[in-house]
Amino acid sequence: MIDTHSHIYSEDFDTDRAETVQRARKAGVEQIILPNCDSSTLPQMLALQAKYPGYCHAAIGLHPTSVKADYEAELAMVRAELMFNKYVAVGEIGIDLYWDKTFLDQQIKAFQLQIEWALEYKLPVIIHVRDSFNETMNALAPYRNRGLKGVFHSFTGTVDEAREIITFGGFYLGINGIVTFKNSGLAAVVADIDLKHILLETDSPYLTPAPHRGKRNESAYVSLVCSKLAEIYNCTPAQIDEQTTLNAKSLFSI
Ligand SMILES: [Zn+2]
């Protein structure tokens, strides 16, 4: 399995990061993608990638909740990193209207600029959408048929929204522990989507799958998402693993 979205570089793992990686390997996690948030998370993320080359892969981007008054300086950091370091994706980027709508215009601007850079560097994008599906699709509209590819990370939308994303072309849906939450309704939506559009992720340390809900999430628990998908698609976890690993390798060129 590949955990395509994990923040195990965060301070939540400062006391047991090596054991966390060990548990992931033992659970069958073959590789982990680390999406960036902003300049404050960059050093820890790069340190983790340096410690586990070929296993932990960093992405670079400015997270929408980190788009504040200083966003231009943050974007300059992203630009410099793209020029001087190697990354597997631009992310995470997108629009988040759940926490704060103050910087919506700046969020859109930062999102679109980083999409331009992803196209320039031929990298996929990792998109964060929260309470902003329409705004996100509107911001993406100018990039239709321009070879843009990526993932809608932590997808929690409707079947219609999933179809809209798939019709746009080039995009996968990242599915995490939310699919194990009985009240989420996500399992029924996922059942209607072809597995060739799905990626596994955890979003560690958040969104811990059942039966560990409420505790810290970690990459090893991606196996619980895999098992849940096997239940939904009426197949074996090995088959889910095989197809989603293929999807992740193809998207991130890893
Ligand atoms: Zn994230």
Side-chain angles (χ1 to χ4, degrees):
M1 293 165 287
I2 296 179
D3 182 357
T4 60
H5 200 108
S6 184
H7 299 277
I8 53 168
Y9 56 78
S10 81
E11 60 194 18
D12 301 71
F13 296 92
D14 278 357
T15 58
D16 66 342
R17 192 168 289 104
E19 292 84 350
T20 301
V21 172
Q22 216 167 18
R23 284 193 294 273
R25 285 191 201 271
K26 226 178 132 193
V29 178
E30 199 182 307
Q31 296 180 75
I32 300 173
I33 307 281
L34 310 172
N36 188 49
C37 296
D38 54 41
S39 58
S40 74
T41 55
L42 186 64
Q44 301 100 290
M45 183 183 72
L46 290 178
L48 184 57
Q49 176 177 246
K51 196 164 179 208
Y52 301 99
Y55 189 74
C56 291
H57 303 278
I60 189 69
L62 178 63
H63 192 291
T65 60
S66 292
V67 173
K68 310 272 186 212
D70 67 344
Y71 80 106
E72 280 171 324
E74 286 285 333
L75 285 174
M77 173 279 292
V78 173
R79 181 76 182 152
E81 286 300 314
L82 279 169
M83 280 163 76
F84 300 116
N85 279 320
K86 223 175 142 6
Y87 289 94
V88 295
V90 172
E92 53 188 294
I93 62 176
I95 302 176
D96 188 313
L97 299 179
Y98 176 80
W99 294 105
D100 190 0
K101 296 183 176 73
T102 316
F103 293 102
L104 173 61
D105 291 347
Q106 291 87 342
Q107 284 194 41
I108 294 170
K109 212 172 146 191
F111 182 36
Q112 292 187 315
L113 193 55
Q114 292 179 96
I115 290 172
E116 300 278 356
W117 295 343
L119 288 171
E120 182 184 337
Y121 285 87
K122 297 188 168 41
L123 290 173
V125 289
I126 299 170
I127 299 185
H128 169 110
V129 178
R130 194 155 184 203
D131 285 357
S132 60
F133 184 76
N134 292 334
E135 289 84 354
T136 301
M137 294 314 288
N138 286 341
L140 274 176
Y143 304 99
R144 200 182 281 273
N145 302 320
R146 285 186 55 191
L148 184 65
K149 55 181 189 162
V151 55
F152 275 67
H153 127 75
S154 193
F155 178 77
T156 53
T158 63
V159 173
D160 283 345
E161 289 172 347
R163 292 210 177 108
E164 198 177 329
I165 292 166
I166 289 163
T167 311
F168 186 92
F171 279 97
Y172 294 86
L173 310 176
I175 302 297
N176 56 39
I178 294 173
V179 78
T180 70
F181 302 170
K182 281 198 172 69
N183 57 357
S184 75
L186 185 59
V189 172
V190 168
D192 264 1
I193 303 163
D194 195 304
L195 190 58
K196 68 175 196 276
H197 302 298
I198 303 285
L199 296 182
L200 299 180
E201 62 167 63
T202 58
D203 203 14
S204 303
Y206 314 107
L207 304 173
T208 314
H212 305 296
R213 201 174 170 180
K215 301 197 190 96
R216 182 188 70 175
N217 199 4
E218 60 176 74
S219 287
Y221 293 163
V222 81
S223 62
L224 295 166
V225 179
C226 183
S227 300
K228 181 66 189 181
L229 289 183
E231 206 180 283
I232 294 168
Y233 287 106
N234 200 16
C235 65
T236 65
Q239 288 169 310
I240 300 289
D241 178 356
E242 190 183 10
Q243 182 62 52
T244 56
T245 296
L246 205 70
N247 297 346
K249 285 184 172 173
S250 146
L251 178 63
F252 295 108
S253 306
I254 52 175

